[in-house]
Amino acid sequence: TPADAPAYWLYTSGTTGKPKAVIHAHRSIRAHDARMNLWQDAKAGDVCFNTSVLNWSYALTCGMLDVWRHGLISVIFDGTPTAENLCKIIQRFGVTTFMSVPGIYRQLADHSTPLPGVRVCLSAGEKLSVEIREKFRNVTGLEIYEGLGMTEHSVYLVQRFGEKFVGESIGKPLSDQNTSILKEDLTAAKPDETGILATHRTCAGLMLGYYQRPEEEKETFKGDWFLSGDLASKDEEGNFYFMGRRDDLLTCGGYRISPMEVEEVLNQHEAVEESAVVSKELEPGKNIIYAYVILKPGISANQTTAKMILDFATEHLAKYKHPREIVFLKRLPKTSNGKIQRKLLT
């Protein structure tokens, strides 16, 4: 089969519009070898378990197709991913490589159960907070290595297994990827300057295109580059820093703010289980930041709790990033892949 022949389709999650059918070539699986080596640290005899559903690139490729290509074992679970269920599966099948999302790692850390036999832990989908990383490490003794990707290009920035973390960096490009930070005119951004995360057309893991969506395909391919829609920066040492989706950026007081930065602070409060922030227009030209918060079990949703969380945010964020209102929810709207749908909160 020709390397450029279509092999499989995946649909985008629809966080920023109607889901698109992404066409991937046969070459894409071969292109994931660097990821298997540098991020997953694949070894003979590994048993790999990705807790996510298979309609997501992270699960389909990292958790199954790539695993099969290397002759390893893949565990597929179609039940409810509670901490108790996952621990039983890990122990029963001797899982060595565990792949999940930040919310699941939070559950496992709260469950306070060691994971004997697990060697590699990977996370993708949403930004992993320092709080979750440290709590999970304290409970299990394991590090969680993050990866960043998208349906159109799977995972292409990773924290390489065994290497020391650099601040809040999401890591570096895989060895076979031509990844850059570009300004709107497609010229390279300067070190530490925020721009569009882009990959070169020649990257073998990049999609062939969208099925019957020519206008949107034209918007993402510009010149020699595929524009991801993500914002990021890169330091002089080549470490990349993820700033969030361009479509998710908040506008408040004339500033553009990454919701993830505010959410990470809120999630560090002892009463907060999870949060999502959006900006709302009070009147023309005046926006404020609303925070939607899920409280930990046993915490009362009242004005006293809201004030404590707002005061905490005030202490740890610049003034223009302060949430002005808190709304307590039982759950946040998410896609089937666990990504927060902030647009449903506006």
Side-chain angles (χ1 to χ4, degrees), residues 180-201:
S180 186
I181 307 295
L182 302 180
K183 294 188 285 189
E184 293 292 341
D185 62 2
L186 301 187
T187 59
K190 297 176 182 178
D192 302 319
E193 180 181 7
T194 298
I196 305 166
L197 186 59
T199 50
H200 201 270
R201 283 179 177 268

Side-chain angles (χ1 to χ4, degrees), residues 49-56 58-60 76-77 99-101 104 124 336-337:
F49 179 25
N50 193 310
T51 65
S52 304
V53 292
L54 291 175
N55 65 344
W56 186 12
Y58 176 42
L60 180 69
I76 306 297
F77 177 53
M99 314 171 200
S100 198
V101 296
I104 296 295
S336 59
N337 299 332

Side-chain angles (χ1 to χ4, degrees), residues 305-318:
T305 303
K307 185 178 184 304
M308 285 194 305
I309 296 171
L310 288 174
D311 289 346
F312 181 82
T314 300
E315 292 175 13
H316 295 85
L317 289 166

Side-chain angles (χ1 to χ4, degrees), residues 99-116:
M99 314 171 200
S100 198
V101 296
I104 296 295
Y105 281 111
R106 180 187 291 275
Q107 288 183 41
L108 289 171
D110 290 342
H111 198 250
S112 298
T113 302
L115 303 176

Side-chain angles (χ1 to χ4, degrees), residues 24 26 74 106 109 117 141 161 174 218 237-238 253 255 259 326:
H24 276 288
H26 282 266
S74 177
R106 180 187 291 275
F161 181 79
L174 293 165
K218 187 177 179 180
E237 286 71 44
Y255 295 95
I326 284 186

Side-chain angles (χ1 to χ4, degrees), residues 51-308:
T51 65
S52 304
V53 292
L54 291 175
N55 65 344
W56 186 12
S57 176
Y58 176 42
L60 180 69
T61 60
C62 291
M64 190 174 77
L65 298 182
D66 298 351
V67 175
W68 287 355
R69 169 168 165 77
H70 287 259
L72 306 176
I73 295 172
S74 177
V75 176
I76 306 297
F77 177 53
D78 194 31
T80 305
T82 64
E84 184 177 3
N85 284 341
L86 297 179
C87 288
K88 287 179 179 178
I89 291 170
I90 289 170
Q91 293 173 13
R92 177 181 175 185
F93 296 101
V95 171
T96 60
T97 304
F98 184 76
M99 314 171 200
S100 198
V101 296
I104 296 295
Y105 281 111
R106 180 187 291 275
Q107 288 183 41
L108 289 171
D110 290 342
H111 198 250
S112 298
T113 302
L115 303 176
V118 175
R119 184 175 58 86
V120 180
C121 291
L122 309 177
S123 179
E126 290 283 339
K127 183 174 175 57
L128 181 72
S129 71
V130 173
E131 177 219 356
I132 296 175
R133 185 193 296 278
E134 291 180 349
K135 187 171 183 180
F136 184 81
R137 180 196 299 132
N138 291 336
V139 169
T140 67
L142 296 165
E143 291 288 3
I144 305 172
Y145 295 88
E146 281 191 272
L148 176 67
M150 59 192 306
T151 309
E152 292 87 340
H153 198 179
S154 198
V155 179
Y156 49 92
L157 289 175
V158 301
Q159 294 173 336
R160 301 185 181 195
F161 181 79
E163 292 190 3
K164 186 177 180 180
F165 302 125
V166 180
E168 293 295 306
S169 171
I170 192 67
K172 295 182 178 181
L174 293 165
S175 55
D176 59 350
Q177 303 292 338
N178 184 353
T179 304
S180 186
I181 307 295
L182 302 180
K183 294 188 285 189
E184 293 292 341
D185 62 2
L186 301 187
T187 59
K190 297 176 182 178
D192 302 319
E193 180 181 7
T194 298
I196 305 166
L197 186 59
T199 50
H200 201 270
R201 283 179 177 268
T202 56
C203 290
L206 191 58
M207 69 172 184
L208 292 171
Y210 297 123
Y211 178 68
Q212 293 186 352
R213 302 284 280 273
E215 291 303 315
E216 284 151 306
E217 190 174 309
K218 187 177 179 180
E219 289 176 5
T220 57
F221 284 101
K222 299 286 187 181
D224 292 331
W225 296 95
F226 168 78
L227 307 182
S228 69
D230 291 331
L231 293 177
S233 65
K234 179 177 66 170
D235 64 23
E236 292 184 347
E237 286 71 44
N239 301 296
F240 282 67
Y241 298 82
F242 180 55
M243 305 299 181
R245 297 285 301 173
R246 279 195 288 174
D247 294 332
D248 280 342
L249 284 185
L250 313 179
T251 301
C252 190
Y255 295 95
R256 301 186 77 191
I257 304 164
S258 168
M260 295 191 309
E261 184 179 358
V262 181
E263 291 161 6
E264 184 169 3
V265 169
L266 293 176
N267 292 346
Q268 290 175 16
H269 192 278
E270 59 184 6
V272 176
E273 180 73 26
E274 195 173 13
S275 66
V277 301
V278 299
S279 64
K280 290 194 175 184
E281 188 176 58
L282 291 184
E283 56 187 65
K286 184 178 180 180
N287 288 37
I288 65 171
I289 296 178
Y290 268 66
Y292 291 86
V293 170
I294 299 175
L295 295 173
K296 290 183 177 177
I299 305 296
S300 299
N302 53 40
Q303 288 300 315
T304 301
T305 303
K307 185 178 184 304
M308 285 194 305

